[in-house]
Structures are given as structure tokens and as C-alpha cells.
Amino acid sequence: MQPPVSIAQKARGVIQIFRPELPIAAGVCVLLGEVLALGAVPPLPVLGTGFACGFLLSGSALITNDYFDLEVDRINAPHRPLPAGVLTPAEVMTLGLVTALLGLAAAATFGPLAFGLSLIIWLLGFLYNWRLKAAGLWGNLIVAISVGITFVLGGIAVGRPWSPIVWTFALIVLVFDLAEEIAGDAMDAEGDRQRASRSLALVYGRSTALRISGALFGLVVILTLLPWGTLGLAYRIPILLTDLLIVFFVIRLLRSQTPTEGRRAMRGLYLSGSLGLLAFLGGSLAAS
């Protein structure tokens, strides 16, 4: 019989299931969308509410992902809070719905367009977690679009939804996340077989999927040069370092022989992209 789970263990489980670095990155994308659209730093309440919207909606998607992934995680990640028994399915789904409602409430403060787009983002994420995860490339695209659109949400929050620079960054982040999703499927192939996934890794092989992912990361590096003439040193210096790190970790990803090695390279890629965005945001805030 499994011993009772303590409050401290449940608290750690909530943090683990939230994967804080991912929702933080989503919140930062909304903030950058606001700054890029305005060409200046918006008022603090707008920044805070925008960050909360991205953070909470992303967190909800990740939490419900664990709920629907329970059987696969028993194989791929038995240490996760749900398969390990630290959190119950009811607790996880309740947490996912509460964070979604809070995120939508934050979006509603920016008006009906922001609320509608946020609701679509959340519904796409829920539908993906529930039914479309096995859809292969189409499922990957849904996730990537949901991530890229966070920049557009930032533009909407400050009344400039059609800002070209905002849509450029949305495209960069979309391609980056698509590359990550394809590589992630290559690492999770064993568990994905249990749900008859049509991932590129299972249909065409792990090596082919990783090469496609690597090519998309290369496209990201090219796309990051598009705003070069529009943005100043606050963008150019962080993005050069980020691009170098992306190339380094892509090489490690392509050379990886095991899922563990591949996941380490993917984490490096994710942290490189996140740190680049944070550095650019920090530079923009400091210059204003």
C-alpha cells in the first residue's frame, strides 16, 4: 500500500507538473509582443496582466497534457507527479481548469478580441492534448501556432494587433516550437507507439525526424535576421549569441544516440531561445 502523500510532496508535484520555465517563456512572449507593437514599454499593469495571461494559459495546457498523457507517461516518464501517484487525476484536471479560467479572465481585461483569441488558444491546446496528439505533423502545427500567437496576443493587448514586427516574431517562435515538437516526438517514440501516433519519427524514422527538426532550427536562425535593420543592439547582441547556441545544440541533437541525450540537447535549445528573448526584453526595458 502506498504511503499517504504529504502537503509538501503535493506542492512539489504542482510545481513539477506546471513546468514553470515553459509558462514563464509564454508570458515573456506576450510581454515582448506588447513592447514590439508599441515600440516602447507599456504601463506596468498592462505588462503584468499580459504576462499572467500567457503564463496561466500555457500552464493550463501543460497541466491538462499530463492528465491525458497518464498512460504514456507510465512508460516515458513514470517519475512525473501523476503516474507516480503524488497527484490524482481529479486534482490535476481541477488545477488545469482553474488556471485556464484565471488566464481567460486576464485576457478579458484587454477586450473581446484578446479574450476570443485566448479562448481559441486554450481550446486548441485542450483538443490537442485530448485527441490530436497522435495526429503527427498536424498536431505539432497546432502546438506551434498556439505558441507563436502569444506575440499577437501582446499586440492586441496594446491595441496594435497587425504590427508587422509582432507577426515576424510570431513566425520565428512558431517555427522554433515546431522544430522542438518534431524533435520531442523523436525522443518519445516508444511511448507514442502505444497510442498509434503518426509522428514523423514513427512514420519516417528517428533520423529523418531529427534532420527535419534541425532544418527548421536552421530556418529559425535565418528568420532572426529579418528584424536586423529594424531593431538596435538590444536585439542584435542577444540574438547573435542565441543563434550560436542554437547551432551548437542542434549539432548535439543530431548526434544524439539516446532519448536522454536528445532531451538534454532539446533543453539546451529551449533555454537558449528563452534566454535570448529575456535578454532582448531586458535590453528593451533598460533602453526605455
Side-chain angles (χ1 to χ4, degrees), residues 16-253:
Q16 188 180 359
I17 207 169
F18 224 102
R19 301 174 181 89
E21 68 273 16
L22 299 177
I24 287 173
V28 168
C29 287
V30 177
L31 295 188
L32 273 173
E34 293 175 349
V35 172
L36 288 166
L38 274 182
V41 179
L44 189 59
V46 176
L47 284 173
T49 307
F51 178 85
C53 181
F55 180 88
L56 291 166
L57 290 176
S58 173
S60 175
L62 292 165
I63 292 166
T64 53
N65 174 72
D66 273 32
Y67 176 86
F68 289 113
D69 257 10
L70 175 57
E71 295 306 319
V72 174
D73 280 348
R74 293 189 196 278
I75 299 170
N76 285 338
H79 59 280
R80 298 288 300 161
L82 197 49
V86 175
L87 297 174
T88 67
E91 289 170 337
V92 169
M93 183 53 76
T94 300
L95 182 62
L97 292 176
V98 169
T99 53
L101 290 173
L102 291 173
L104 291 172
T109 64
F110 296 127
L113 182 58
F115 176 80
L117 181 62
S118 297
L119 181 60
I120 290 171
I121 291 172
W122 184 80
L123 288 173
L124 283 175
F126 190 88
L127 185 61
Y128 170 79
N129 290 331
W130 180 34
R131 290 293 188 190
L132 299 180
K133 189 166 288 189
L137 184 59
W138 289 110
N140 298 148
L141 279 168
I142 286 176
V143 175
I145 290 170
S146 299
V147 173
I149 211 72
T150 53
F151 277 89
V152 179
L153 183 58
I156 293 172
V158 295
R160 300 186 181 179
W162 302 112
S163 167
I165 191 68
V166 166
W167 283 88
T168 299
F169 270 80
L171 178 61
I172 291 171
V173 173
L174 186 156
V175 176
F176 186 98
D177 196 76
L178 179 59
E180 272 197 321
E181 288 293 316
I182 292 171
D185 284 349
M187 300 307 118
D188 293 338
E190 188 58 39
D192 285 346
R193 284 192 180 91
Q194 304 300 315
R195 57 176 165 223
S197 172
R198 296 288 298 167
S199 72
L200 294 181
L202 290 178
V203 175
Y204 299 107
R206 180 181 186 273
S207 296
T208 298
L210 289 182
R211 284 196 294 270
I212 293 171
S213 174
L216 288 170
F217 279 120
L219 178 58
V220 168
V221 172
I222 294 171
L223 290 173
T224 60
L225 301 179
L226 292 179
W228 195 261
T230 306
L231 303 173
L233 289 178
Y235 173 76
R236 294 174 189 173
I237 294 175
I239 210 64
L240 275 178
L241 295 174
T242 300
D243 286 346
L244 288 172
L245 287 170
I246 288 175
V247 171
F248 172 76
F249 284 112
V250 165
I251 292 172
R252 292 190 61 177
L253 177 66

Side-chain angles (χ1 to χ4, degrees), residues 252-265:
R252 292 190 61 177
L253 177 66
L254 293 175
R255 291 178 176 175
S256 65
Q257 299 298 314
T258 65
T260 300
E261 291 178 359
R263 289 190 184 100
R264 285 177 187 155

